[in-house]
Amino acid sequence: MTPVTVAIWSKMKVVLAFDKFKGSVTSQQLNEAVQDDLCGLDDVTTVCVPVADGGDGTTAVLAAKSEGQWVTVPTMGPLLQQAPVNASYFLTDDNTALIEVAAASGLALLPPDGRDVMRASTLGTGLLMRDAMERGCREIVLGLGGSATCDAAMGILCALGAEFLDADRRHLYPSGESLEKITHIETLGIPQSVRDCRFTLLTDVDNPLCGERGTARIFAPQKGASPEQVAQLERGMMHVATLVGEQIACQPGCGAAGGIPALMMHLLDCRLLPGAPYVLERNGLADALEGADLVITGEGRLDAQTLMGKGPGCVIHMARERGIPVAAVCGAIAPDFDPDAAGLAAAVAVSDGLPLAEAMDPEGTLLRVAHHVRTIIANQ
């Protein structure tokens, strides 16, 4: 009798792990659109793992994998003279609040000609946190990216009961221009509920508080600071460093969001963590990679920063550790970014050469990304 050969057929498992294309489409939109486009391929099965790194959009990515509800409250924007803003955070069923600085104190809340980093404050973010604690929350996860501020968390702490005084015992308005005037921090007004709360600060950068790579010199110009204002803010951050100590000021990530970790870590129960590994662990990337044949990631722009703690960089690292090929589909690729050196099997920029309005169009972006993902899979 002639032996019968049985062919065992199995589907290709593809993990989709996109970060947002900033200003165009969110992580969830990208992952879901590509998954929907691939559902008609009989030989492909997909798993979605939304990606974020502590920047704006992190709350939504974490909320998508959590049980709970969105809470929207009126609060203060980055500038006192602004009309109040309605900002949202996510309250999980186990009373953890997922908040991001960008919701109330974000640069996107100001027009380009309305930025004022010297007077911008994180007070509105602190009011969101206080609202969560008044609802019984004792754990807050705070995403630090996208801020318009450089106040080292003065605003947050004022909202939570602290007072900042100058040499004449006068109250200081919580903003960057006040930092170098702080001579006393009064903490008696911080209630026990705040002291009992644990704060997890998620950062998408590893910059320290001061110095050449500090928050003033690196990030304040992006928030509208002139060279003279950068110098003043650097003096302020150096002064804050004397208040909080070298161990905090020099910690990688302390310069995130205008130095928010500095005073928060000094006065409250905080831990400072890189955002991307935290989000990817919560969203189950390690489990999703089990048995995967291909990983596809991407963000708005692949550049040197991608591999320095950003979400797609962490995806690439985790996949390569397991010997899984990784492809990147992004909006643009920096000229000095080397896909081969990054360990990518393929890298595609979907918006190269397009007019800005077309490149940022959400519907067109999703269609182009899905098309290129199909092409990459077909070539495997």
Side-chain angles (χ1 to χ4, degrees), residues 1-16:
M1 181 179 294
T2 305
V4 176
T5 302
V6 179
I8 301 176
W9 175 83
S10 62
K11 290 188 175 185
M12 172 190 286
K13 179 181 178 181
V14 179
V15 175
L16 304 173

Side-chain angles (χ1 to χ4, degrees), residues 61-123:
V61 168
L62 289 173
K65 295 287 186 175
S66 305
E67 297 294 328
Q69 62 180 334
W70 285 96
V71 177
T72 302
V73 295
T75 188
M76 176 184 160
L79 296 175
L80 183 62
Q81 65 266 31
Q82 278 183 280
V85 299
N86 288 319
S88 299
Y89 65 91
F90 192 82
L91 187 60
T92 71
D93 287 348
D94 62 358
N95 275 338
T96 295
L98 309 176
I99 303 175
E100 57 189 50
V101 172
S105 309
L107 198 61
L109 297 173
L110 300 173
D113 60 354
R115 297 172 180 177
D116 185 357
V117 69
M118 303 306 290
R119 296 290 293 170
S121 177
T122 55
L123 187 60

Side-chain angles (χ1 to χ4, degrees), residues 222-238:
Q222 303 169 14
K223 304 175 186 184
S226 68
E228 295 76 19
Q229 290 172 330
V230 169
Q232 182 181 345
L233 289 169
E234 176 64 11
R235 292 196 303 271
M237 294 300 169
M238 292 288 288

Side-chain angles (χ1 to χ4, degrees), residues 321-336:
E321 278 190 327
R322 293 161 172 78
I324 306 168
V326 193
V329 179
C330 55
I333 301 175
D336 59 350

Side-chain angles (χ1 to χ4, degrees), residues 65-213:
K65 295 287 186 175
S66 305
E67 297 294 328
Q69 62 180 334
W70 285 96
V71 177
T72 302
V73 295
T75 188
M76 176 184 160
L79 296 175
L80 183 62
Q81 65 266 31
Q82 278 183 280
V85 299
N86 288 319
S88 299
Y89 65 91
F90 192 82
L91 187 60
T92 71
D93 287 348
D94 62 358
N95 275 338
T96 295
L98 309 176
I99 303 175
E100 57 189 50
V101 172
S105 309
L107 198 61
L109 297 173
L110 300 173
D113 60 354
R115 297 172 180 177
D116 185 357
V117 69
M118 303 306 290
R119 296 290 293 170
S121 177
T122 55
L123 187 60
T125 297
L127 294 174
L128 282 184
M129 296 162 74
R130 192 171 76 183
D131 182 85
M133 283 181 269
E134 288 173 352
R135 297 172 189 264
C137 186
R138 293 298 176 265
E139 177 105 19
I140 290 178
V141 178
L142 183 65
L144 296 179
S147 75
T149 59
C150 204
D151 73 352
M154 280 184 76
I156 287 173
L157 290 163
C158 282
L160 300 182
E163 299 172 278
F164 294 85
L165 309 176
D166 66 11
D168 298 318
R169 309 293 289 188
R170 292 176 300 195
H171 285 84
L172 293 167
Y173 180 74
S175 67
E177 68 178 4
S178 297
L179 292 173
E180 60 183 335
K181 303 173 187 175
I182 300 171
T183 59
H184 179 71
I185 305 174
E186 179 57 70
T187 61
L188 291 176
I190 300 177
Q192 193 60 44
S193 59
V194 175
R195 299 178 189 273
D196 290 340
C197 191
R198 187 183 189 199
F199 301 87
T200 299
L201 310 180
L202 302 182
T203 175
D204 60 347
V205 299
D206 62 359
N207 302 71
L209 187 64
C210 314
E212 292 299 321
R213 295 188 64 251

